[in-house]
């Protein structure tokens, strides 16, 4: 959270590495569609449970402090308190740093019914992309957030995601992360 | 934010009103249907009828979706169990409860995730006790509020003849007190707020709000009114929990306290607990008793019983019989408006104090403290600035370039325990604690937005 770090996050709005070269942080089993929840709190809770149960490969092997869903939920919730992670257009990017992670984890949820998210344009959120990075995240990890945000600048891409109905298709749409 | 309030009594209703006006999604739970109906007539909220600690009722109230619950029913036990249920069954992130009984409060280890999971405990008695002690510490102040862990205070007082700054422009304050870092955050003149500038001239009877460190407050106060000696003689009416605790703290800080209690049994019990306080059994509105006990030698008379009317009348009487200042606990806001500053020196509302204490925990952003002022019309907020010039609307910017909402002023900036001079070219840094004074409550959402970091903040 130092000045220097967040500064670079911003100056690198464009993806730094070519899609082929970067490792995939999004796992197929961390994409859900038609998620039925009625609030931001439940959405963050669902992400926390999804990641805690399915993303075990992302935790460093020797670390005994594998975060549980409660830790992830608290991190995501605390971040929202400092300012909503809603981008507008009905999209949110909840994120946070988690001790015990060895590499970033990304999860995507498309909601059955949009939820209030305190967004800048007042639009309820129908798509959330959750990004967790290690506590000692490197610059590449932190740039992921700006990369994700930049993807949604493209209205055609947003439309494509909105029309998609299956988890595989969504997974493929985010093939560069 | 989605918030559930358990208990629709005075405090629950007040906080529901404030929060629903600020576009929060509020549900109030109470076992009294009449109370719920009245609330629903007055404000845009959802109500659920039932027992506040029942899992079924909480589920019905939608606690599974809320960010915050406020347990303010009349029962400590119901409040505690409700927080436990919300924690275990619904993982509610923030749980705030009112707990009155000092029996529970004496064991803070009870309130943790492993025992009774309450994040914030609001104890009205402790709040009032602290508030009254601060007012006694700074005679002449109408309100004293701690910020930055008590390192600085916001003080409200009336300007009188004799104060060196009265009749002068605010910028002269710097020449009068060159070594003191202070800022006048707001001035109320005939009940209208003035946003102060260097050219504002302080007039007699202005209600001035300023911020300074603990050590400097008295120096600034002397600029606004002639020096008052703080006498050590205090008379308290009412030996309830508040009166008893206050007497206890005051006798430990070297005050000479006389405590009047009507109930003989309570009077005897209290007299056995207190070391140096003189406990008198009698009626605080008994002119003869007050005279006998040298009311005219008292620096302060505090009436702290449960009855508004009795408190007001005995304080008025004490004042007429020569007590230097009089303070009373008054619950009804309408009464406070009637009497404060004209009849009595200070009226303290337990309800407003409790609501004010709850506020800092429901504000968005990294808010450390928020206090309701001027009977709830204005508010002072201490918030931590996060991020950098890209992710924050304030960090990395000069004070002169920050677009504050109309009616909001920066009262102080604390950086690593140091008060920063508020020059126009001072630049706000990540981690600064900023105290903002908002004269119009409707602007609070705009102030909250100012502090919010953008999406890309990690």
């Amino acid at each position: 959270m130092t000045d220097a770090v967040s500064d670079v996050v911003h100056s690198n709005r464009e993806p730094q590495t070519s899609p082929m070269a970067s490792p995939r942080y999004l796992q197929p089993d961390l994409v859900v569609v038609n998620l039925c929840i009625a609030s931001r709190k439940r959405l963050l809770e669902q992400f926390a449970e999804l990641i805690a149960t399915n993303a075990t490969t992302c935790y460093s092997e020797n670390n005994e402090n594998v975060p549980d869903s409660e830790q992830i939920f608290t991190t995501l919730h605390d971040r929202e308190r400092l300012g909503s992670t809603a981008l507008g257009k009905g999209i949110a990017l909840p994120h946070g740093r988690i001790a015990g992670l060895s590499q970033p984890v990304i999860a995507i949820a498309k909601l059955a019914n949009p939820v209030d998210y305190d967004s800048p344009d007042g639009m309820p959120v129908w798509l959330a992309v959750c990004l967790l990075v290690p506590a000692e995240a490197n610059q590449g990890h932190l740039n992921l957030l700006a990369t994700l945000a930049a993807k949604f600048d493209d209205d055609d891409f947003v439309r494509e995601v909105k029309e998609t109905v299956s988890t595989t298709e969504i997974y493929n749409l985010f093939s560069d992360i | 934010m989605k918030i559930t309030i358990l208990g629709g009594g005075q405090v629950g209703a007040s906080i529901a009103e404030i929060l629903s006006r600020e576009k929060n999604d509020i549900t109030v739970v109470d076992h009294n249907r009449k109370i719920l109906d009245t609330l629903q007539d007055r404000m845009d909220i959802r109500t659920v009828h039932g027992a506040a600690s029942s899992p079924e009722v909480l589920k019905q109230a939608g606690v599974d979706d809320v960010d915050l619950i406020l347990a303010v029913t009349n029962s400590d036990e119901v409040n505690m169990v409700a927080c436990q249920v919300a924690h275990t069954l619904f993982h509610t992130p923030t749980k705030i409860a009112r707990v009155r009984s000092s029996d529970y409060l004496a064991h803070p280890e009870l309130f943790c995730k492993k025992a009774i999971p309450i994040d914030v405990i609001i104890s009205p008695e402790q709040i009032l006790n602290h508030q009254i002690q601060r007012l006694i510490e700074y005679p002449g102040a109408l309100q004293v509020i701690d910020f930055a862990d008590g390192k600085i205070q916001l003080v409200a007082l009336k300007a009188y003849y004799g104060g060196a700054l009265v009749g002068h422009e605010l910028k002269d304050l710097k020449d009068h007190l060159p070594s003191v870092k202070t800022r006048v955050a707001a001035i109320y003149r005939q009940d209208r707020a003035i946003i102060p500038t260097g050219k504002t001239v302080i007039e007699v009877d202005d209600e001035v709000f300023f911020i300074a460190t603990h050590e400097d407050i008295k120096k600034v106060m002397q600029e606004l009114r002639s020096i008052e000696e703080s006498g050590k003689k205090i008379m308290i009416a009412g030996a309830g929990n508040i009166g008893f605790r206050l007497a206890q703290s005051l006798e430990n800080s070297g005050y000479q306290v006389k405590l009047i209690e009507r109930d003989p049994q309570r009077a005897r019990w209290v007299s056995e607990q207190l070391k140096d306080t003189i406990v008198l059994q009698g009626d605080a509105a008994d002119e003869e008793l007050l005279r006998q006990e040298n009311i005219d030698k008292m620096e302060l008379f505090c009436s702290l019983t449960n009855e508004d009317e009795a408190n007001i009348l005995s304080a008025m009487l004490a004042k007429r019989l020569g007590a230097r200042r009089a303070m009373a606990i008054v619950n009804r806001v309408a009464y406070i408006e009637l009497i404060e500053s004209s009849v009595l020196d200070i009226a303290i509302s337990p309800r407003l104090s409790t609501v004010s204490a709850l506020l800092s925990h429901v504000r968005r952003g990294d808010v450390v403290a928020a206090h309701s002022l001027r009977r709830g019309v204005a508010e002072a907020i201490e918030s931590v600035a996060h991020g950098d010039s890209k992710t924050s609307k304030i960090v990395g910017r000069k004070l002169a370039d920050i677009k504050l909402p109309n009616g909001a002023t920066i009262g102080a900036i604390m950086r690593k325990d140091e008060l920063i001079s508020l020059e126009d070219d001072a630049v706000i840094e990540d981690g600064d604690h900023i105290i903002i004074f908002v004269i119009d409550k409707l602007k609070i959402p705009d102030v909250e937005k100012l502090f919010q970091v953008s999406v890309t903040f990690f």
Side-chain angles (χ1 to χ4, degrees):
Chain A
M1 277 187 223
T2 65
D3 283 358
V5 171
S6 12
D7 204 16
V8 186
V9 170
H10 268 269
S11 53
N12 289 308
R13 280 204 163 266
E14 296 304 314
Q16 289 272 289
T17 46
S18 72
M20 298 308 288
S22 62
R24 300 236 21 206
Y25 297 125
L26 179 65
Q27 300 171 24
D29 52 0
L30 291 184
V31 180
V32 287
V33 293
N34 270 325
L35 183 65
C36 274
I37 41 109
S39 62
R40 170 164 79 183
K41 180 243 175 192
R42 287 289 296 149
L43 173 64
L44 300 180
E45 225 174 357
Q46 293 284 320
F47 269 134
E49 274 160 35
L50 186 70
I51 294 170
T53 40
N54 293 315
T56 41
T57 50
C58 305
Y59 299 127
S60 50
E61 283 158 28
N62 306 329
N63 199 320
E64 287 169 8
N65 282 335
V66 172
D68 53 12
S69 59
E70 197 184 317
Q71 229 175 314
I72 300 174
F73 172 62
T74 309
T75 303
L76 293 174
H77 182 267
D78 288 351
R79 170 59 188 82
E80 296 295 337
R81 231 187 120 89
L82 297 182
S84 169
T85 63
L87 279 176
K89 303 180 192 177
I91 295 150
L93 304 177
H95 59 271
R97 293 166 194 258
I98 301 280
L101 275 185
S102 60
Q103 53 164 316
V105 190
I106 294 172
I108 298 180
K110 223 181 136 181
L111 310 185
N113 302 298
V115 295
D116 263 351
Y117 214 100
D118 229 342
S119 31
D121 58 1
M123 283 259 286
V125 159
W126 54 270
L127 180 80
V129 182
C130 175
L131 168 67
L132 299 180
V133 300
E136 289 86 30
N138 65 34
Q139 201 49 54
H141 296 161
L142 296 175
N143 288 347
L144 273 170
L145 184 60
T147 310
L148 280 168
K151 283 178 83 68
F152 295 104
D153 285 345
D154 179 358
D155 285 340
D156 291 333
F157 179 74
V158 173
R159 202 173 309 120
E160 243 180 302
V161 178
K162 199 161 194 174
E163 283 160 7
T164 315
V165 287
S166 81
T167 53
T168 329
E169 283 175 276
I170 297 220
Y171 179 71
N172 290 336
L173 276 177
F174 289 86
S175 57
D176 55 338
I177 50 165
Chain B
M1 237 193 309
K2 285 184 199 283
I3 300 169
T4 302
I5 298 172
L6 308 176
Q10 285 191 344
V11 166
S14 306
I15 200 99
E17 194 166 5
I18 295 174
L19 294 177
S20 62
R21 239 189 279 128
E22 292 171 14
K23 289 185 186 149
N24 291 289
D25 194 340
I26 306 291
T27 306
V28 177
V29 178
D30 202 290
H31 56 70
N32 183 334
R33 212 182 279 274
K34 244 191 208 155
I35 285 184
L36 293 178
D37 289 346
T38 331
L39 290 183
Q40 210 149 29
D41 289 345
R42 265 172 46 209
M43 43 188 119
D44 179 19
I45 54 166
R46 209 164 75 86
T47 59
V48 171
H49 176 245
S53 57
S54 141
E56 196 46 46
V57 170
L58 292 180
K59 196 173 165 198
Q60 210 187 326
V63 170
D64 203 12
D65 288 317
V66 304
D67 304 294
L68 182 103
I69 65 161
L70 287 172
V72 289
T73 72
N74 274 329
S75 152
D76 284 355
E77 289 75 16
V78 169
N79 293 342
M80 290 191 280
V81 172
C83 286
Q84 179 74 67
V85 171
H87 176 76
T88 310
L89 299 183
F90 307 113
H91 308 118
T92 310
T94 313
K95 300 160 291 291
I96 301 174
R98 174 172 61 189
V99 176
R100 285 205 175 96
S101 158
S102 51
D103 199 5
Y104 293 122
L105 295 171
H107 304 283
E109 66 273 20
L110 282 174
F111 304 103
C112 64
K113 281 229 161 91
K114 284 193 179 123
I116 304 166
I118 301 177
D119 302 294
V120 183
I121 300 232
I122 303 286
S123 152
E125 277 163 28
Q126 282 178 357
I127 294 166
L128 282 179
N129 190 24
H130 184 78
Q131 203 179 348
I132 296 172
Q133 280 196 61
R134 279 278 192 244
L135 289 168
I136 291 172
E137 207 176 323
Y138 301 110
L142 297 171
Q143 206 163 12
V144 181
I145 290 162
D146 283 1
F147 284 105
D149 269 341
K151 288 180 201 86
I152 53 175
Q153 271 94 31
L154 171 70
V155 179
L157 81 169
K158 267 231 148 82
Y160 281 149
Y161 283 112
L165 194 66
V166 178
H168 292 266
E169 292 186 348
L170 270 181
K171 65 172 168 10
D172 294 352
L173 189 58
K174 216 182 243 168
D175 304 328
H176 293 197
L177 301 170
S179 62
V180 172
K181 280 183 194 143
T182 183
R183 173 98 152 200
V184 172
I187 296 169
Y188 285 84
R189 186 169 295 162
Q190 282 152 8
D191 270 339
R192 276 191 42 243
I194 299 174
I195 295 287
T197 67
K199 289 202 164 130
T200 309
V201 176
I202 301 265
E203 291 179 9
V204 169
D205 263 356
D206 279 358
E207 190 176 327
V208 180
F209 284 82
F210 72 88
I211 295 178
T213 61
H214 196 64
E215 304 80 57
D216 289 336
I217 285 177
K218 288 208 168 149
K219 292 181 206 154
V220 183
M221 285 180 76
Q222 285 171 13
E223 286 288 312
L224 295 162
R225 52 196 302 154
S226 51
I227 302 153
E228 294 197 32
E229 270 174 55
S230 52
K232 289 282 181 192
K233 293 192 165 110
I234 292 174
M235 190 179 278
I236 300 172
N241 287 331
I242 298 169
F244 167 59
R245 284 241 206 111
L246 181 66
Q248 212 167 25
S249 332
L250 287 177
E251 66 174 21
N252 287 334
S253 347
Y255 287 91
Q256 295 165 32
V257 185
K258 286 184 177 172
L259 178 56
I260 305 174
E261 168 59 39
R262 199 178 346 199
D263 176 52
Q265 256 185 326
R266 175 76 181 172
R268 182 177 320 141
W269 183 83
V270 165
S271 70
E272 284 159 7
Q273 307 298 313
L274 294 167
K275 294 191 300 277
D276 304 324
T277 300
I278 299 170
V279 180
L280 307 158
Q281 194 257 310
D283 182 357
D286 176 354
E287 196 176 327
E288 203 47 47
L289 175 68
L290 294 184
R291 273 193 214 281
Q292 271 171 17
E293 297 302 329
N294 302 326
I295 184 71
D296 55 326
K297 299 284 188 308
M298 294 293 155
E299 164 66 25
L300 177 68
F301 180 89
C302 304
S303 41
L304 310 176
T305 74
N306 281 330
E307 288 165 60
D308 282 1
E309 291 82 357
N311 286 344
I312 295 170
L313 288 175
S314 60
M316 280 169 75
L317 181 64
K319 185 112 182 163
R320 213 190 53 198
L321 295 177
R324 224 160 136 212
R325 292 187 301 138
M327 181 192 295
I329 282 191
V330 180
N331 271 292
R332 290 196 184 199
V333 178
Y335 284 178
I336 297 180
E337 282 167 7
L338 275 178
I339 57 168
E340 200 171 47
S341 77
S342 55
V343 188
L344 296 184
D345 298 283
I346 298 167
I348 293 178
S349 154
R351 171 162 67 124
L352 289 181
S353 303
T354 307
V355 169
S356 175
L358 286 167
L359 271 183
S360 47
H361 307 286
V362 296
R363 291 272 165 252
R364 289 177 180 82
D366 193 0
V367 171
V368 185
H371 288 275
S372 195
L373 304 164
R374 301 271 313 168
R375 298 175 283 280
V377 181
E379 195 168 315
I381 301 178
E382 173 184 354
S383 194
V384 185
H386 287 290
D388 57 25
S389 58
K390 303 260 170 41
T391 52
S392 161
K393 295 182 193 78
I394 45 179
V395 177
R397 283 173 176 69
K398 288 181 185 162
L399 282 188
D401 297 338
I402 292 173
K403 287 195 191 77
L404 286 169
N406 277 338
T409 48
I410 292 184
I413 299 175
M414 283 291 273
R415 182 173 301 156
K416 296 185 187 78
D417 291 352
E418 287 282 325
L419 208 49
I420 302 290
S421 317
L422 298 177
E423 308 295 341
D424 278 352
D425 57 356
V427 175
I428 293 184
E429 293 179 9
D430 176 57
D432 283 357
H433 285 231
I434 301 172
I435 290 114
I436 292 202
F437 192 100
V438 189
I439 55 170
D440 178 2
K441 226 169 30 181
L442 296 174
K443 301 287 183 198
I444 286 164
D446 296 334
V447 174
E448 286 179 332
K449 266 187 209 133
L450 198 64
F451 278 88
Q452 288 191 3
V453 293
S454 67
V455 178
T456 45
F457 173 77
F458 240 111

